[in-house]
Amino acid sequence: QVCSKKRVSSRVMGPKKRGGGRRGGGGGSQSASQDSSSDVTPWTVMLKTSSCSAAGCPAQVVEGSAEGQIELSLAKEQLGAVLSWFQSSVLPADSSACLAFAPTQNKYQRAAVHKMVEAKFPQLETASSGVGDARALAVYGRGHAPQKVTSEEAGARAARLYAYACDAGLGASVSRDELCELMQSGSLTGELARVWEEGEARQGVMDAVLQAVKADDGGALRALAQAQPLVRALLQQGAKDALTGDLPLHAAARQGAVGALRALAELGADLEAANSQGKTALKVSRVFEQTDAEAVLLQLGAHDPEAHRFPLNSQAASLGLGLGLPPSAAPGPSPGSAARPPQGAEMGACQSPSTIQPPAGGGMQGAGTAAAASRSAVPTGAGALGKSQTGAYSTSSWMGLAAVAAIVA
């Protein structure tokens, strides 16, 4: 739950805290590590206990503390020792005691305390409260932290807003829990309110696109793009689903929706875009063994980083042109991808109606399975190749396709 984007502007969350998040992108864990490790300012912690004793505390005790509250000043290197002292020496005498950190801590420093408590101190638990610069963390004995009541709807809305804020470059000083509190209290204002409205509008369009992809309805995608200009913009920008982090092109590749793949490419979807896991649509099609989708993506010009390992892939996919795929269905290659051989060239003199028959269901399906077969040994037994999602093919048809691809290569 740690985001790695720019800090929310001062008009949204107030002035910056000491040691706040850096501006700019980057991985959340990396930013957290840099922000927390670079801060040498001692942390102010208030020990709230009825025993009024800080005997044995490894941190510096500040003079003049109020009754029932002992102010401590500790460096981050002392955090583990202080938590151990609190667990073993304070809680046995006063189970309701707590360590209340001052709100000068930034988001990453609070996260570091949370992580240490969860990993090393099973008898302790943490809780954060407040919004913006008033947000602070406290450590309690397990079972004594105040319980938060969060509705399922508010949690889901906060998760979406958190994703929108990260995409917009906001969030270094706001957490999903904090956004949930804002949503439940109805106090979402300023820039975060604008991000929410714009994000919900985009997600509504994305939901419609994903629904058409799920139905493998290329016509519906084209009609939607005509009615909603935002569709093309989102596809060309590589917009992701806020809930799954997936792109429509990857969703189509995962389920083998070849009609949707062609329509998305026609509408400007980037064939080389990576999803939240760093995978391209071509990689996704291979992970889920969607050979038809793999062949379509290769025909559309997707760059194949494994071409040097499996040289028959592109040749097998190109057989689709000789097996019934109209030229209009195969746009030119995307920038940076290898040029596709001219139509028919890959068949050459080897093509013979008596020896090679187009498999039922269209050329691309046969080409798709041929692309998959090129990454494994050519089968020698009847039924070794099975069938694709579009129907059964004979062993002779498969071996014929593999033989032609091997000769061309």
Side-chain angles (χ1 to χ4, degrees):
Q1 297 182 357
V2 176
C3 180
S4 58
K5 301 292 183 178
K6 297 179 182 177
R7 174 174 293 278
V8 178
S9 64
S10 58
R11 65 178 179 276
V12 180
M13 303 304 299
K16 293 183 180 179
K17 298 179 183 180
R18 289 182 291 174
R22 298 183 306 135
R23 287 195 172 273
S29 59
Q30 180 181 2
S31 296
S33 175
Q34 291 175 346
D35 280 24
S36 60
S37 63
S38 62
D39 183 21
V40 296
T41 305
W43 293 345
T44 299
V45 183
M46 195 67 68
L47 171 62
K48 299 181 179 180
T49 174
S50 59
S51 64
C52 294
S53 173
C57 178
Q60 178 184 354
V61 178
V62 179
E63 298 295 336
S65 300
E67 183 178 356
Q69 300 187 30
I70 302 174
E71 184 176 345
L72 308 175
S73 178
L74 68 146
K76 57 181 176 54
E77 293 83 2
Q78 297 176 301
L79 177 61
V82 170
L83 291 174
S84 179
W85 167 79
F86 178 70
Q87 178 178 265
S88 61
S89 300
V90 177
L91 289 180
D94 182 7
S95 60
S96 63
C98 77
L99 286 173
F101 288 75
T104 52
Q105 277 190 317
N106 61 44
K107 173 181 176 178
Y108 303 116
Q109 293 165 341
R110 294 196 301 269
V113 178
H114 279 296
K115 185 176 181 180
M116 179 175 288
V117 168
E118 290 179 359
K120 299 182 178 181
F121 298 95
Q123 298 178 31
L124 304 180
E125 61 181 337
T126 60
S128 296
S129 60
V131 176
D133 286 338
R135 192 164 185 82
L137 173 143
V139 179
Y140 302 84
R142 184 159 297 278
H144 290 271
Q147 300 299 312
K148 298 179 181 179
V149 179
T150 302
S151 67
E152 185 176 348
E153 180 183 359
R157 286 160 60 90
R160 295 202 304 274
L161 176 55
Y162 186 70
Y164 304 154
C166 290
D167 289 339
L170 307 174
S173 57
V174 63
S175 65
R176 187 161 62 179
D177 287 344
E178 187 174 355
L179 291 176
C180 190
E181 292 180 22
L182 288 170
M183 299 288 277
Q184 286 198 127
S185 63
S187 54
L188 194 64
T189 59
E191 197 166 358
L192 285 175
R194 177 189 61 80
V195 168
W196 168 253
E197 293 176 2
E198 294 179 356
E200 285 292 273
R202 289 195 308 272
Q203 186 61 33
V205 174
M206 182 65 70
D207 288 343
V209 170
L210 292 173
Q211 190 65 30
V213 167
K214 184 177 181 180
D216 194 10
D217 193 341
L221 285 169
R222 295 181 182 94
L224 185 62
Q226 289 183 345
Q228 290 273 6
L230 186 58
V231 171
R232 286 182 181 271
L234 291 177
L235 292 176
Q236 292 169 3
Q237 294 167 6
K240 299 179 177 67
D241 180 13
L243 300 181
T244 65
D246 224 353
L247 288 81
L249 195 72
H250 294 63
R254 183 174 61 250
Q255 70 180 61
V258 295
L261 281 174
R262 295 191 184 101
L264 291 169
E266 178 185 316
L267 295 173
D270 184 3
L271 299 180
E272 311 307 326
N275 62 7
S276 57
Q277 297 178 336
K279 293 183 174 64
T280 64
L282 180 61
K283 181 65 175 178
V284 169
S285 71
R286 288 173 174 169
V287 169
F288 288 88
E289 299 183 351
Q290 296 289 356
T291 55
D292 297 337
E294 176 186 358
V296 168
L297 288 165
L298 289 171
Q299 280 286 339
L300 292 172
H303 172 62
D304 186 2
E306 297 180 330
H308 65 287
R309 296 177 55 201
F310 309 112
L312 297 186
N313 278 359
S314 58
Q315 298 292 347
S318 297
L319 290 176
L321 290 175
L323 297 175
L325 179 68
S328 60
S334 61
S337 63
R340 179 169 48 82
Q343 180 176 354
E346 58 285 315
M347 297 298 293
C350 300
Q351 184 174 6
S352 170
S354 62
T355 58
I356 302 177
Q357 297 296 328
M364 286 310 301
Q365 286 76 11
T369 312
S374 72
R375 297 195 298 277
S376 60
V378 176
T380 57
L385 288 172
K387 63 180 180 179
S388 76
Q389 65 181 31
T390 54
Y393 304 129
S394 67
T395 301
S396 60
S397 296
W398 289 117
M399 295 185 68
L401 286 171
V404 172
I407 292 171
V408 172

